[in-house]
Amino acid sequence: MNLDALLDRLAAVEPTEQPFISLYVGTRPDNTGRAHWGPIVRKELAERARSFGERTLARGTYDADAGRILQWLESEPRPSAHGLALFACGAARIFEAVELNVPVETELVVGRGPHLYPLARLLDQGRRYAVAVTDTHQARIFVVALGGIRERKSVENAKLSRPAAGGWSQARYQRHIDKFHIDKFHREHAKELVETLHRIVREEGIERVLLAGDEVVIPLVREALPKMLAARVVEIGGLDLTSSEAEILTQTLEIERREDARDDAGRVAAARAGRLLAELQRVLDAAPPRHMVTPGGFRMSVAMSNCGAVGWVSDAGGYRYDAIDPDSGRPWPPMPASFLESAQRAAVEAGYRGFAPDACLISRYEPGARLTLHQDRDEEDFGQPIVSISLGLPALFLFGGLKRSEKAARVPLGHGDAVVWGGPARLRYHGVAALADGLHPLTGRFRFNLSFRRAV
Ligand code: MD3
Ligand code: FE
């Protein structure tokens, strides 16, 4: 079974009216050699049924789906499977059941769509990470894999080892090195650490490096990191060279789990983003991006288009929402169902039910393109949020205040990120810093932003 394809398929499921059942089952026998999961799963499924009113449509479809799940569980899985994952919603025409060759935690989730994080995590099994603990003299590098820790290497700066038990030559040597040389030795130490780390990361296929160190050495290490490594380094506190292996293990496992959860969410978002891009292509074929002109006569560096009942346009006459694309003289292309669904999913997750966008402004950024600080005030009802989805190359979003003069925070926005701007944030000044050059596997040298609005 190809779990990647399964994740993609399930990520594309639109929110359902009827309950969607996601069931993960850990099937490993206990120490008596017996598997206990059957009765537990049966009980969980039966208990959850009671959360729906009797003789409701939801209860009916839930019972049918649960029945189908139980039937599969009784007849299909091989005893050798370590785990099972099942997804069922008759109303969405989904029934997927797979055996897993890795253990999972037993978990039943009933919601409006599939619960995918555990599945995304399975695609990552066998991930290992490294921990580097350093000061300006000495470093220790550990590799954690399958829950165990193992010291791989210690790096020591021979020229600048700590004053040892008082040899006279050592003392005289120490007196003769000045600030300049100390900096130089610290820098050499950082470089040696980074080189060693780089080799270990490459040899062992490590995805993430957790780095602990003092405020002197961390900037030096950062400076020495090649790009490939910098992307994998996460700084952590609370550890130093005196920490025991047990301390290092327990502290970093927790951090790694948290980072993992972020990655899993990102993977689910990226699977959805792939589908949006396919639709986007169709929309832009019908209404190609164009560089609009501001009322002040400037050509915008961002190329724009729209889909939906109305579209945002700018020309010498001003800004407005219009049902007709001025370039084609025809209505804007309709909003694809997957666009609407993604926007509504994000809005609901942020606490805005009933968001019904009638406009989707599509912005295409190429390297150098930017958007100066502005407010979005052309919409009828500022009580409605704006939902934005970023695709392709990453950008630095500038998030200002309610006055133009307030200093803007810089927030990186990457492929698949969705942001909901509602409440007091709705009228904050915002913009996008000049796009850095880059090549995205799906969009090439472009960033696209979809921003969904209730305009009229
Ligand atoms: C924040 N686009 O099209 S996301 C725009 O990334 C625009 O392409 C940016 O600003 C982009 O107008 C930002 C969308 C966005 C829209 C409205 C907002 C962010 C907002 C209103 C208030 C605060
Ligand atoms: Fe804006």
Side-chain angles (χ1 to χ4, degrees), residues 20-291:
F20 194 113
I21 306 178
S22 306
L23 174 65
Y24 295 86
V25 187
T27 54
R28 284 239 286 225
D30 65 8
N31 49 19
T32 67
R34 264 197 301 271
H36 283 311
W37 55 270
I40 296 173
V41 165
R42 222 168 244 294
K43 184 157 155 278
E44 286 280 320
L45 280 169
E47 259 169 29
R48 201 65 63 88
R50 284 190 236 117
S51 62
F52 304 102
E54 275 184 56
R55 281 186 293 278
T56 57
L57 185 54
R59 174 66 182 265
T61 61
Y62 177 91
D63 284 346
D65 291 331
R68 194 156 172 209
I69 287 175
L70 287 171
Q71 196 185 345
W72 187 89
L73 289 173
E74 269 154 31
S75 57
E76 293 292 331
R78 284 169 299 193
S80 60
H82 289 206
L84 307 168
L86 296 100
F87 304 91
C89 178
R93 286 174 216 275
I94 295 278
F95 185 84
E96 301 272 6
V98 288
E99 289 179 8
L100 308 166
N101 55 12
V102 286
V104 285
E105 299 234 358
T106 299
E107 184 179 14
L108 171 67
V109 178
V110 181
R112 300 202 51 209
H115 177 61
L116 294 176
Y117 290 1
L119 185 62
R121 166 149 318 149
L122 292 178
L123 295 172
D124 266 352
Q125 281 286 328
R127 174 151 54 184
R128 29 183 68 222
Y129 66 93
V131 185
V133 187
T134 183
D135 63 13
T136 48
H137 299 71
Q138 211 192 333
R140 297 170 72 189
I141 302 174
F142 303 85
V143 169
V144 181
L146 299 172
I149 189 166
R150 168 167 71 95
E151 179 155 12
R152 269 302 313 272
K153 197 83 194 161
S154 96
V155 178
E156 188 138 5
N157 192 325
K159 292 192 199 110
L160 197 72
S161 52
R162 285 194 189 72
W168 65 269
S169 60
Q170 174 77 18
R172 211 170 57 180
Y173 177 65
Q174 292 282 348
R175 243 180 280 125
H176 276 89
I177 50 178
D178 53 26
K179 172 88 171 73
F180 173 81
H181 285 96
I182 292 175
D183 283 351
K184 185 161 128 32
F185 291 142
H186 290 174
R187 203 159 269 130
E188 270 171 18
H189 170 66
K191 203 168 143 240
E192 198 187 335
L193 164 61
V194 165
E195 274 164 14
T196 311
L197 209 47
H198 199 174
R199 191 161 38 74
I200 293 174
V201 163
R202 230 177 318 113
E203 281 169 4
E204 308 213 10
I206 282 164
E207 308 246 354
R208 186 157 30 236
V209 178
L210 306 181
L211 174 67
D214 58 52
E215 65 281 9
V216 179
V217 73
I218 292 288
L220 298 177
V221 172
R222 278 259 167 232
E223 214 172 276
L225 285 174
K227 217 173 172 180
M228 160 278 194
L229 209 47
R232 297 171 193 225
V233 169
V234 176
E235 275 164 47
I236 62 171
L239 293 176
D240 61 37
L241 285 165
T242 65
S243 306
S244 68
E245 291 199 359
E247 281 169 334
I248 293 176
L249 185 61
T250 49
Q251 290 231 21
T252 58
L253 277 174
E254 188 47 46
I255 296 166
E256 178 68 11
R257 252 196 296 277
R258 212 171 53 219
E259 293 290 322
D260 261 2
R262 278 170 41 153
D263 287 359
D264 294 345
R267 212 160 277 119
V268 172
R272 290 199 181 109
R275 221 162 74 98
L276 294 181
L277 277 174
E279 298 281 12
L280 179 61
Q281 187 60 55
R282 273 200 279 276
V283 168
L284 294 183
D285 285 345
R290 73 294 303 266
H291 295 273

